[in-house]
Amino acid sequence: MTSTQTTPARAGDETGTVDLLIYSDDVDTRRAVIEAVGRRAAKGLPLIRWTEAATHGGVLQKVAAGHFALLVLDGEAAKVGGMAVSRQLKSEIYDCPPILLLTGRPQDAWLATWSEADGYVSAPLDPIELQEAVARLLRERAAK
């Protein structure tokens, strides 16, 4: 899946579409996140168009080329984890999109804070918690 353009949408606009990026080296993790959040994170929010990235380089390339409303990064990804990617993007990109970090356990909350992520969800991934976290970050982004 690829995406290069976002249809402008606000939190209360059900007619628009927003682009979200999911980064994980594990296809099953990417699939689980996409299925848990679904096509719309909550009532009143726009439809979601997902873009997948399996490598650090892929994330950097897609973020540079796209206009994402939210980035979902797997903190447990091999080689370059989502925590390092989050910290890098927050340091290098002006007006970086919000980042939701997937952590391996609740005790990793301090690492999510270190990585400057805007939110985190711990494994095992609860679909309702994940969907609510995505909806909250999308609403916060739209309110700015």
Side-chain angles (χ1 to χ4, degrees):
M1 285 187 224
T2 61
S3 162
T4 58
Q5 196 169 5
T6 302
T7 303
R10 300 184 68 79
D13 179 11
E14 291 190 13
T15 61
T17 302
V18 292
D19 290 308
L20 275 62
L21 180 125
I22 172 65
Y23 163 60
S24 179
D25 64 324
D26 182 355
V27 68
D28 293 329
T29 299
R30 294 193 309 266
R31 206 54 39 222
V33 169
I34 292 169
E35 290 175 5
V37 175
R39 294 189 42 155
R40 189 182 312 265
K43 184 177 180 182
L45 291 176
L47 290 173
I48 295 172
R49 182 174 37 229
W50 287 97
T51 298
E52 298 181 38
T55 65
H56 174 238
V59 172
L60 299 180
Q61 179 183 19
K62 290 175 183 190
V63 169
H67 302 283
F68 295 101
L70 177 67
L71 310 175
V72 180
L73 308 178
D74 181 1
E76 302 298 311
K79 295 190 181 179
V80 182
M83 294 174 208
V85 175
S86 174
R87 188 155 173 109
Q88 177 182 3
L89 293 174
K90 289 291 187 170
S91 296
E92 295 178 359
I93 297 178
Y94 174 75
D95 197 24
C96 183
I99 294 176
L100 179 64
L101 193 60
L102 308 176
T103 63
R105 56 198 182 129
Q107 296 85 345
D108 292 337
W110 72 274
L111 288 168
T113 301
W114 170 84
S115 71
E116 300 180 32
D118 299 280
Y120 73 94
V121 175
S122 297
L125 296 178
D126 175 353
I128 294 173
E129 182 183 5
L130 186 58
Q131 193 174 50
E132 289 172 349
V134 168
R136 177 182 59 80
L137 292 172
L138 288 175
R139 284 185 184 110
E140 288 175 3
R141 175 83 172 185
K144 288 184 178 181

